Structures are given as structure tokens and as C-alpha cells.
Amino acid sequence: MFDRLREDTRAMCSRDPAAKRCLEVALAYPGVHAVWGHRIAHRFWNADILGARLFARLFSHLVRLLTGVEIHPGATIGRRVTIDHGMGVVIGETAEVGDDVHMYHGVTLGGDTNEPVKRHPTVESGVRIGANATLLGDITVGTDAAVGAGSVVTRDVEPGATVVGVPAERVD
């Protein structure tokens, strides 16, 4: 467990030039705290214990109040995922986020249907998502892709591509 905490802290230290010390990140970065809180909520969400899902929802609500980051306990979050500045990030129930993903404030990984199906994005490893970007529906953002700030993505993004705009279009 402590290895994972150190891994997350080091990931944020390496990605944020404003991070002067890893201790500062561990104590004062709400995006890191939100990911840590999600890990606890997700464990309860998947537990086969009466009342565990309710506890997971209540715990994730508390984490949202404390950090400004809302991650549904059903979402799958990989290793070394970092959320810089955090406030306003929303990650839906069926979202899947790979390893080494970095996102900024205001990012939404949202659904586009009310049906009980896979309705949120899959973000593969190494993706960077700019501030206030919105990714909607059961789409896939490929490995090492980049989504520009303020973009609205409603279609799959190829691995390594950079997309920007409303609607998002490839620019590289």
C-alpha cells in the first residue's frame, strides 16, 4: 500500500514543475488525495458485503466535498494517474483510465446514455487531457494521445494523436 502511495506522489512530482517536494504533494495536492480516496471507495464498491456499495458512494461523496474531484466508485483508475489542480473533475461509473494518465482541472469523462451499459470513456495509458476537456460516451482515447484544453471528444482518438476543438479534431 505504501509503495503505491509513494508511486502516486512521485508521479505527480515528476509531472508538475510547481511541486517542490514530494511531501508537499502528499499533504497538499487534492488530485492525489482524490485518487487515493477513489481506491478505497472502489474496493468497497467491488466488495461482496452487504452495504458496501452504499458506503462506497458515501465515502466518494466525502472525498468530493474535500477535494472538488468526483470519481464514481465504480470507475476503474490505473496506476500513477495524476489530476493537476483537480477542481471540477468528474469521472463516471463505467469510465476506465489506464496507467500514467495526466489530467487537469475541469475534465469530464461523462456518459451519453441513461441505459445501464458501458457509457463512459476508456482512456488508455499515457494520455494527457487538458483543462476543461469533455470526453463523452463509450469512446476510446488511445495510448499516448493528447486532448487539448476545452475540447469536446465524442469519437475515438487514435493512439499518439492530438485532438483539439469543439468537436475535437486531430491536429498532428
Side-chain angles (χ1 to χ4, degrees):
M1 176 179 82
F2 291 110
D3 289 339
R4 293 287 294 272
L5 297 177
R6 277 190 291 274
E7 185 178 73
D8 290 335
T9 303
R10 287 181 183 136
M12 181 57 88
C13 283
S14 71
R15 294 178 189 145
D16 183 2
K20 303 301 181 212
R21 292 186 173 82
C22 287
L23 180 62
E24 175 188 359
V25 169
L27 296 176
Y29 272 55
V32 172
H33 298 155
V35 170
W36 292 346
H38 170 73
R39 290 208 183 109
I40 294 166
H42 187 70
R43 187 169 290 231
F44 278 96
W45 185 261
N46 290 320
D48 191 20
I49 302 169
L50 183 63
R53 283 198 167 191
L54 176 59
F55 177 80
R57 289 301 300 260
L58 293 173
F59 188 78
S60 69
H61 183 68
L62 176 64
V63 171
R64 181 179 65 101
L65 290 173
L66 294 172
T67 66
V69 177
E70 182 174 342
I71 307 173
H72 190 285
T76 302
I77 306 293
R79 297 176 74 152
R80 298 171 304 278
V81 169
T82 50
I83 302 172
D84 202 349
H85 300 288
M87 187 61 72
V89 170
V90 177
I91 300 175
E93 178 183 14
T94 62
E96 299 174 39
V97 179
D99 298 336
D100 300 304
V101 170
H102 187 69
M103 61 184 83
Y104 290 89
H105 61 279
V107 168
T108 299
L109 304 182
D112 65 351
T113 180
N114 290 330
E115 300 301 317
V117 296
K118 171 81 167 99
R119 61 191 184 279
H120 297 93
T122 297
V123 178
E124 294 181 347
S125 296
V127 171
R128 295 175 321 274
I129 307 173
N132 298 309
T134 301
L135 289 68
L136 295 174
D138 182 14
I139 60 171
T140 298
V141 178
T143 303
D144 296 325
V147 177
S151 297
V152 176
V153 183
T154 57
R155 295 186 311 232
D156 289 348
V157 176
E158 295 177 17
T162 298
V163 296
V164 298
V166 180
E169 297 291 337
R170 187 171 180 159
V171 294
D172 61 339

